Amino acid sequence: MSDDLFMREALRLAAQAAQAGEVPVGAVVVRDGQIIGRGFNAPISRHDPSAHAEIAALRDAAQYVGNYRLVDCELFVTLEPCVMCVGAIFHARIARVVFGATDPKTGAAGSVFNLFDDMRLNHHARIVGGVLGEECGHMLSDFFSQRRQQQKAK
């Protein structure tokens, strides 16, 4: 299956987050070409700073598999993971991470930090960035632009 196909599903989930007033980030976990976990950002509505799309997708996949270790799985996410999410990715033993837009403020897969390249850590996933990056980036910038417009209107 194509990376674009899985990223499109992550984008669909990101749109659900935006509809709920959350920052539009979506994620899916894939094993053997099948989506086994889905998630989107929900820290505002859940009053939970850890309710990022990646964490939700990892939790969903772990429940599906019946194990917190997601060996031989891939994570597709519309925005470069932050430090917290990279930590969860390491603990889950995700083999490959594919992200869309880079995050120049909190990205931990190359933008601010690259934790995946740190040889002191005990797990390393393969990283692919920029898959449907322009589309993912536009969704985020459109969301924040609309939010700024709403703030001005108040």
Side-chain angles (χ1 to χ4, degrees):
M1 291 249 168
S2 151
D3 288 354
D4 287 5
L5 177 72
F6 295 123
M7 190 61 74
R8 291 233 174 268
E9 178 61 13
L11 276 164
R12 189 187 68 73
L13 292 163
Q16 286 183 320
Q19 290 171 350
E22 302 278 357
V23 175
V25 179
V28 296
V29 176
V30 174
R31 182 177 68 181
D32 297 327
Q34 176 187 353
I35 295 174
I36 62 168
R38 290 176 168 80
F40 57 84
N41 265 10
I44 298 167
S45 60
R46 292 194 180 146
H47 311 290
D48 179 357
S50 70
H52 286 197
E54 299 95 322
I55 303 292
L58 291 171
R59 286 177 178 156
D60 192 36
Q63 288 300 308
Y64 177 85
V65 171
N67 192 334
Y68 75 100
R69 294 275 171 100
L70 300 170
V71 178
D72 297 326
C73 291
E74 300 172 300
L75 175 74
F76 291 78
V77 60
T78 58
L79 180 64
E80 179 182 355
C82 70
V83 171
M84 175 184 69
C85 291
V86 170
I89 290 163
F90 283 168
H91 286 289
R93 300 298 192 259
I94 293 291
R96 182 171 175 254
V97 176
V98 180
F99 68 87
T102 58
D103 186 346
K105 294 184 180 182
T106 64
S111 291
V112 177
F113 303 105
N114 193 344
L115 294 176
F116 293 101
D117 275 350
D118 192 326
M119 290 299 127
R120 296 171 295 177
L121 300 171
N122 68 334
H123 179 71
H124 301 94
R126 293 184 323 271
I127 305 302
V128 176
V131 174
L132 300 182
E134 195 170 305
E135 197 170 331
C136 294
H138 283 307
M139 182 178 281
L140 286 156
S141 59
D142 290 349
F143 174 82
F144 286 114
S145 177
Q146 289 172 0
R147 185 177 266 181
R148 283 190 296 276
Q149 292 297 328
Q150 291 168 350
Q151 292 297 327
K152 286 181 185 178
K154 287 183 180 180

